[in-house]
Amino acid sequence: MPPRKRLCPQCLRPLPLAPRISRQYASAAAITPAASLDQTTISPPPIARFPLTQPPSHKPPEYRKSQLHRQYTSLLRSTPLILLFQHSNLRAIEWMSIRRELSSALRKIDEQQQEASTSSIPQADAIKLQIIQSSIFRSALLVASYFDPTASPTPSIPHATDPSTQSSAELPNQSPHTPDDETYTHGLSTHAHAATRRYKSVHPLSPLLSGPLAILSFPTVSPAHLAAALSILVPSPSSFPAPKRRTNPSYYETDVQGGLQKLILLGARVEGRV
């Protein structure tokens, strides 16, 4: 048998236990303040499904057609004078040449007005000749002519302390939750589309808004700038004579004259009137 191992008597002593520390936690009673009078009479508005900066529209706003509709509507509401032209297969070099001659003639008018009066504001850079999409421009013209956002009815919300309001009645939401709500009154809203649907064939410019079109927009009604533009785009020997070859030889270049023969003046819109 193997010899037995002897244990040290000091090793059999129990280890001292760590002293217990009693901790006392202070419990603070949460005091809930009483509700104010405003909290009891006015309920918080519900969470809106659509942000204020991105209201819902009848057509998806991310499409290029929707952005053109917004651009045309803003242009029609802010521009007092617009000339409508029909063009027929103008080349890029012809458009560039016509815009060059038009800009040159309008800047000469600005220089003449600044020499006569120092308070005159230059308008040549703000007068734009641009090609438009006829169908989208027609829709924007109806919105700008027949839809008034300020005349849209706003639903009235009864007060919670009104005696005529029943306690179990469901009050309408303070923020709209559906795209067809009448509180959305922008140009792309469903309400604007429904309000202008019946005027498609009523507007005087509707028969002219077909085919390739272009517009010339003026920021203000200036007879001098209008006469200069007409003398370049649609010259008339009696009313708006074209510039002479000696004073403006670039006007008689082939690209300019070829492009002007493809431009036809259809009509004008002056301060909302045709």
Side-chain angles (χ1 to χ4, degrees), residues 141-209:
L141 180 62
L142 297 179
V143 172
S145 302
Y146 300 109
F147 178 65
D148 186 8
T150 59
S152 300
T154 303
S156 60
I157 301 175
H159 198 267
T161 58
D162 190 357
S164 62
T165 305
Q166 300 180 3
S167 59
S168 59
E170 294 184 359
L171 301 180
N173 294 332
Q174 296 183 6
S175 61
H177 281 261
T178 56
D180 55 349
D181 199 289
E182 294 183 353
T183 54
Y184 292 120
T185 57
H186 55 90
L188 290 175
S189 61
T190 305
H191 185 53
H193 175 74
T196 59
R197 185 184 305 172
R198 56 180 177 174
Y199 297 105
K200 286 186 176 180
S201 59
V202 177
H203 200 277
L205 285 179
S206 296
L208 303 178
L209 298 178

Side-chain angles (χ1 to χ4, degrees), residues 32 43 63 71 77 97 101 114 129 139 145 186 188 192 219-220 227 240 246:
T32 304
S43 60
Y63 290 169
Q71 179 183 352
R77 287 176 174 173
S97 302
E101 297 300 323
Q114 288 180 355
L129 178 63
S139 177
S145 302
H186 55 90
L188 290 175
T220 57
F240 307 102
R246 181 178 300 177

Side-chain angles (χ1 to χ4, degrees), residues 10-191:
Q10 298 178 357
C11 297
L12 299 177
R13 295 179 182 179
L15 297 175
L17 298 177
R20 295 182 179 180
I21 300 175
S22 60
R23 299 180 180 178
Q24 297 179 356
Y25 297 92
S27 60
I31 301 175
T32 304
S36 61
L37 181 61
D38 295 339
Q39 293 179 354
T40 57
T41 58
I42 301 176
S43 60
I47 300 175
R49 297 182 181 179
F50 307 101
L52 297 178
T53 56
Q54 296 179 357
S57 60
H58 179 67
K59 295 293 182 64
E62 62 272 9
Y63 290 169
R64 182 176 180 269
K65 293 182 178 180
S66 301
Q67 299 302 324
L68 286 177
H69 190 283
R70 294 180 58 185
Q71 179 183 352
Y72 294 158
T73 305
S74 176
L75 180 67
L76 289 167
R77 287 176 174 173
S78 60
T79 304
L81 176 58
I82 294 178
L83 301 182
L84 183 64
F85 294 89
Q86 184 178 16
H87 64 90
S88 177
N89 299 326
L90 266 78
R91 297 179 299 167
I93 187 64
E94 294 174 344
W95 276 116
M96 183 183 65
S97 302
I98 293 175
R99 288 191 176 101
R100 181 196 63 205
E101 297 300 323
L102 178 63
S103 178
S104 177
L106 295 175
R107 287 177 180 174
K108 289 181 181 179
I109 300 298
D110 286 344
E111 295 175 358
Q112 295 176 2
Q113 291 183 351
Q114 288 180 355
E115 292 177 357
S117 175
T118 57
S119 60
S120 62
I121 301 175
Q123 301 182 18
D125 295 337
I127 300 175
K128 301 294 183 182
L129 178 63
Q130 57 180 341
I131 302 174
I132 60 173
Q133 299 288 337
S134 57
S135 59
I136 303 176
F137 188 82
R138 184 190 302 110
S139 177
L141 180 62
L142 297 179
V143 172
S145 302
Y146 300 109
F147 178 65
D148 186 8
T150 59
S152 300
T154 303
S156 60
I157 301 175
H159 198 267
T161 58
D162 190 357
S164 62
T165 305
Q166 300 180 3
S167 59
S168 59
E170 294 184 359
L171 301 180
N173 294 332
Q174 296 183 6
S175 61
H177 281 261
T178 56
D180 55 349
D181 199 289
E182 294 183 353
T183 54
Y184 292 120
T185 57
H186 55 90
L188 290 175
S189 61
T190 305
H191 185 53

